[in-house]
Amino acid sequence: MSLPPEKASELKQIIHQQLLKMDVHGRIREVLAETIREELAPEHQQLSTEDLIKALRQRGIIDDVIKELKFVTDVTENERTSAPKPSTHFVEREPPVLKKTNIDPTRRYLYLQVLGGKAFLEHLQEPEPLPGQICSTFTLCLHFRNQRFRSKPVPCACEPDFHDGFLLEVHKESLGDGSKMVDATTMLSICDPVHIVLIKTDTFGETTLVASYFLEWRSVLAAENGITNVAVELLGVGTESKVSVGVLNIRLEMYPQLSKTLSPEVTNTQFGLERQKTAEKERLFLVYAKQWWREYLQIRPTHNSRLVKIFAQDENGVNHPVCSYIRPLRAGRLLDTPRQAARFVSVLGYERAPVIGGGGGKQEQWCTLLAFLCRNKGDCEDHANLLCSLLLGFGLEAFVCVGTKAKGVPHTWVMTCGTDGAIIFWESLTGHRYVHRPINPDDPPIVQQPKPLYPYRTIGCIFNHQKFFGNCQPSDAVEVCVFDLHDESKWKPMSGEAIKSVCSPGATSSVLPFPPLCASSVDAAVASNEIELQLRILVSEHRKDLGLSTVWDDHLSYLLSPALAAYELERTTSVSAGNEEFQDAVRRAVPDGHTFKGFPIHFVYRNARRAFATCLRSPFCEEIICCRGDQVRLAVRVRVFTYPESACAVWIMFACKYRSVL
């Protein structure tokens, strides 16, 4: 393989820098002097190149250089421009490419290395993956003080081969630029943990949350040389939150090295004080919540059956006040409007928390934001919490509503209150918006009442990051609810100070961390082309099995693009546009006496085979794919719309034109 001249010179430069870094030239001079002294007679002091290389090899210097010249590909999600290869394909490992990291010498860093895993007993029987074989993978996702990292995927095994390093910046925002180089005492007051989430991706690309762990990193402040090794036992999630799933070997190191380390007694005392302070605040809030609940029940005995949720369990089975799952979240340049935020949340996958065994019961599990985003799917509560946080970030007064849908199924959705009193419901699973106009049950029958279009039946409580209200109106039916939140006869509020004591950032060491959103790593054009090509192959094979030939019309396929763009625009903005041009173009492309049929369909995953199987279940789509007639021409167009966190809206349109034979 020949390299272009600019790449060759770049490679030479990297090797030269590495040799300088390892002081290889100095070591070669030492070996040279030693070899001349030991192995050559004084009368002829001449060495050949072969002699020198042999001496270097014997002393292991060449091996050291080769080892150090590992090239590590740790390209971040944002930097991928070409089509990312599926992480589930494992071929012979290429030498990784060394990615340079800009280190500010005036700042303090925590270098966290994951040096492999062990005792992942669920994968004890899994064989070694063969080169090129598709297999399930583990990926670690980390979050620390507004910084996010992702490990390279490794094959699932009893001892997964994790070997990744993450450089975490440690700084104190509140002290300004003068505190860039924080000392050990200041760092001891930074109680943010490193949140580690382990995700398993199966051979079909489906993700599963395996473990969620909060790592206390400050033990490194009392370690000799500023280096410590810890074995982290990961526990399962949900119903398995007490069961060990495996152990990670982690090495923590401070950069630059601390001039003065703390004593273990100091760090342990600090941890003890933080736990004590957190426990006391949580105890006081629990006492207040119990008193609030007693008062709420005394208003009306039927309140006992209303869905008033004050606490919720996270993926580790730990109870938190529901208000701590919400925080104003700004998406930077990734999302431009509240409606686009609603669209983004709706294309994240929906999956109820898994329950072992039958009974039809719903497993209670509100995921932390990092676990939800890394898995790319979650329950309706996860979607509602994220949407509410984003709408608050856009400056709206938003609340999460807890209530029921038809047939009494528990559900959560989002509500915004306008400055003019307008109440809008946002369905986080679909992105739909509904205007709420209450029905007055005291009106005479002749008065025309608004017909509700939303699917919600009852509402028990609403909350955001600062407020909590219990519904104490005579009926909890949504259609008759009046959302005058200042009227305490209709909505019983909780104390804002009590909520703030346990839910505001930094209030306690157990407050849930909120990671920033990441840009998509999916190249929309490449993903669209790949899915379209796979669908063409699947359609051709399907028609071949039916004894039909397949002729593709590329021009007609291209003409379907505006329709797909219009469908996505309508989902995002509720505005339909461009339909006239699409219809006109299709009329021009379909000759007189020919029939045109089209079938659009929408998915939130990029698995072409799964999408094709779903399409065939629709009689309209099957009619197009299996079209018989004279001069049949088929068309298919795929358009992938990317959103933050690599979430995708995938629109597919199948079409055909054929000559009508009566």
Side-chain angles (χ1 to χ4, degrees):
M1 184 185 76
S2 62
L3 285 171
E6 64 275 7
K7 286 286 177 192
S9 61
E10 187 183 332
L11 189 59
K12 282 180 188 171
Q13 184 68 23
I14 291 172
I15 293 171
H16 179 66
Q17 286 172 354
Q18 190 66 34
L19 294 177
L20 285 174
K21 180 180 160 192
M22 294 175 64
D23 191 26
V24 170
H25 297 97
R27 291 168 72 185
I28 289 174
R29 284 190 203 99
E30 287 170 20
V31 172
L32 187 55
E34 193 181 322
T35 310
I36 289 171
R37 259 196 329 270
E38 292 177 3
E39 297 176 13
L40 288 176
E43 56 270 13
H44 55 284
Q45 302 253 341
Q46 285 190 358
L47 268 179
S48 68
T49 310
E50 289 77 14
D51 292 332
L52 181 57
I53 289 174
K54 182 182 170 187
L56 291 170
R57 189 172 280 124
Q58 283 173 347
R59 285 162 177 76
I61 290 173
I62 289 179
D63 290 341
D64 288 349
V65 172
I66 297 298
K67 272 185 206 159
E68 286 292 326
L69 274 174
K70 283 191 306 210
F71 290 94
V72 187
T73 47
D74 198 7
V75 182
T76 58
E77 300 293 344
N78 310 356
E79 292 168 343
R80 287 189 181 158
T81 49
S82 59
K85 292 176 185 171
S87 58
T88 46
H89 287 68
F90 277 87
V91 291
E92 287 293 326
R93 289 194 175 177
E94 300 166 11
V97 181
L98 193 64
K99 181 180 176 290
K100 292 178 184 170
T101 304
N102 293 323
I103 296 180
D104 184 344
T106 64
R107 293 215 169 203
R108 187 77 71 188
Y109 294 90
L110 172 69
Y111 185 46
L112 185 151
Q113 286 175 281
V114 184
L115 304 172
K118 57 188 178 185
F120 285 79
L121 300 179
E122 193 175 321
H123 302 278
L124 191 60
Q125 304 298 327
E126 258 178 52
E128 283 280 314
L130 298 169
Q133 180 187 356
I134 297 174
C135 64
S136 300
T137 60
F138 281 141
T139 309
L140 287 170
C141 303
L142 279 72
H143 167 235
F144 177 68
R145 293 175 70 77
N146 232 31
Q147 305 159 69
R148 281 180 64 184
F149 305 87
R150 196 180 190 95
S151 74
K152 293 185 291 295
V154 300
C156 294
C158 183
E159 297 188 353
D161 187 25
F162 288 115
H163 276 93
D164 273 292
F166 308 99
L167 202 61
L168 283 57
E169 190 180 321
V170 185
H171 57 273
K172 193 81 174 164
E173 301 99 328
S174 58
L175 301 180
D177 280 346
S179 68
K180 277 184 176 179
M181 182 61 83
V182 286
D183 59 12
T185 312
T186 310
M187 284 192 284
L188 187 60
S189 67
I190 299 174
C191 60
D192 305 63
V194 179
H195 190 187
I196 301 174
V197 165
L198 178 61
I199 300 290
K200 178 183 174 183
T201 308
D202 68 13
T203 51
F204 302 103
E206 290 296 310
T207 53
T208 313
L209 178 63
V210 179
S212 174
Y213 184 84
F214 293 96
L215 174 68
E216 177 50 79
W217 58 276
R218 289 174 293 173
S219 56
V220 73
L221 302 176
E224 281 186 49
N225 306 322
I227 300 173
T228 184
N229 291 295
V230 288
V232 169
E233 184 185 18
L234 300 177
L235 299 177
V237 294
T239 51
E240 299 173 41
S241 59
K242 302 287 185 286
V243 182
S244 174
V245 294
V247 175
L248 287 180
N249 295 319
I250 291 177
R251 178 185 172 99
L252 299 170
E253 188 174 350
M254 294 306 305
Y255 277 115
Q257 279 197 350
L258 294 169
S259 54
K260 182 183 172 189
T261 57
L262 303 173
S263 70
E265 291 78 23
V266 170
T267 56
N268 290 335
T269 304
Q270 173 73 11
F271 300 158
L273 285 170
E274 284 175 7
R275 280 193 294 269
Q276 192 179 335
K277 179 183 162 191
T278 297
E280 180 60 16
K281 283 187 173 183
E282 288 177 347
R283 186 189 69 79
L284 289 172
F285 182 77
L286 182 61
V287 169
Y288 170 76
K290 284 181 174 177
Q291 175 64 28
W292 184 94
W293 178 244
R294 279 196 294 271
E295 291 171 2
Y296 182 71
L297 291 182
Q298 285 170 8
I299 297 171
R300 210 174 277 111
T302 54
H303 284 185
N304 196 31
S305 61
R306 293 191 180 181
L307 279 177
V308 178
K309 192 149 194 63
I310 302 171
F311 294 93
Q313 282 190 357
D314 67 9
E315 65 266 23
N316 292 324
V318 179
N319 275 312
H320 301 278
V322 289
C323 296
S324 65
Y325 288 88
I326 310 291
R327 195 179 300 175
L329 186 62
R330 285 163 54 169
R333 305 275 180 194
L334 300 178
L335 296 168
D336 296 319
T337 66
R339 295 193 188 192
Q340 195 181 10
R343 178 62 177 151
F344 155 58
V345 174
S346 73
V347 298
L348 290 168
Y350 169 62
E351 182 182 80
R352 290 179 61 174
V355 181
I356 297 175
K362 187 178 187 297
Q363 169 64 28
E364 181 65 47
Q365 181 178 305
W366 291 31
C367 278
T368 55
L369 184 54
L370 184 69
F372 175 40
L373 294 176
C374 293
R375 191 170 52 138
N376 246 221
K377 58 186 175 185
D379 213 332
C380 61
E381 293 89 358
D382 304 324
H383 286 79
N385 291 340
L386 175 56
L387 178 56
C388 182
S389 297
L390 287 167
L391 295 182
L392 287 166
F394 276 112
L396 302 179
E397 188 178 16
F399 295 89
V400 171
C401 306
V402 181
T404 62
K405 293 194 295 184
K407 299 181 181 175
V409 176
H411 190 62
T412 56
W413 65 97
V414 178
M415 174 187 88
T416 52
C417 306
T419 50
D420 57 353
I423 301 296
I424 307 290
F425 292 148
W426 303 64
E427 177 47 63
S428 59
L429 296 178
T430 62
H432 292 161
R433 298 165 69 255
Y434 306 96
V435 177
H436 171 67
R437 294 188 182 88
I439 293 170
N440 186 350
D442 298 328
D443 280 345
I446 197 166
V447 175
Q448 185 76 26
Q449 296 286 7
K451 186 171 173 59
L453 300 173
Y454 44 78
Y456 317 120
R457 294 291 176 267
T458 67
I459 184 166
C461 66
I462 63 172
F463 65 89
N464 61 20
H465 63 304
Q466 293 174 331
K467 300 174 183 175
F468 184 99
F469 296 95
N471 183 2
C472 49
Q473 295 170 66
S475 168
D476 62 351
V478 179
E479 56 190 18
V480 298
C481 262
V482 176
F483 288 92
D484 180 2
L485 302 180
H486 301 292
D487 186 345
E488 292 193 13
S489 67
K490 293 183 172 64
W491 294 95
K492 179 172 172 58
M494 261 195 184
S495 157
E497 285 301 312
I499 293 169
K500 189 178 177 184
S501 71
V502 286
C503 296
S504 64
T508 67
S509 57
S510 65
V511 170
L512 299 169
F514 263 64
L517 295 183
C518 280
S520 177
S521 65
V522 178
D523 186 317
V526 171
S528 302
N529 286 336
E530 282 180 355
I531 298 170
E532 194 170 302
L533 187 62
Q534 290 171 25
L535 287 175
R536 283 196 175 202
I537 293 167
L538 290 167
V539 170
S540 298
E541 287 176 350
H542 186 74
R543 287 177 62 84
K544 190 177 178 182
D545 291 343
L546 299 173
L548 300 170
S549 62
T550 307
V551 182
W552 294 101
D553 186 331
D554 291 338
H555 178 61
L556 185 59
S557 296
Y558 179 70
L559 296 185
L560 304 177
S561 295
L564 300 182
Y567 297 146
E568 182 61 21
L569 182 69
E570 189 175 1
R571 287 286 178 101
T572 308
T573 63
S574 306
V575 175
S576 180
N579 195 36
E580 302 83 4
E581 294 92 333
F582 168 64
Q583 289 182 358
D584 189 58
V586 168
R587 285 194 191 99
R588 290 176 179 279
V590 179
D592 288 343
H594 284 62
T595 301
F596 171 83
K597 289 181 180 176
F599 176 80
I601 190 166
H602 170 255
F603 299 101
V604 295
Y605 51 80
R606 305 197 307 277
N607 186 325
R609 194 170 288 276
R610 184 177 159 197
F612 184 64
T614 306
C615 291
L616 282 178
R617 286 201 284 273
S618 162
F620 301 108
C621 188
E622 194 200 17
E623 192 179 312
I624 291 170
I625 291 169
C626 306
C627 180
R628 296 170 183 267
D630 186 20
Q631 297 178 26
V632 174
R633 297 291 181 269
L634 291 169
V636 62
R637 191 66 170 171
V638 176
R639 181 73 167 84
V640 174
F641 295 88
T642 57
Y643 287 92
E645 298 298 329
S646 299
C648 290
V650 180
W651 283 96
I652 300 172
M653 191 167 191
F654 290 101
C656 68
K657 64 176 181 179
Y658 59 92
R659 190 173 181 183
S660 306
V661 181
L662 297 175

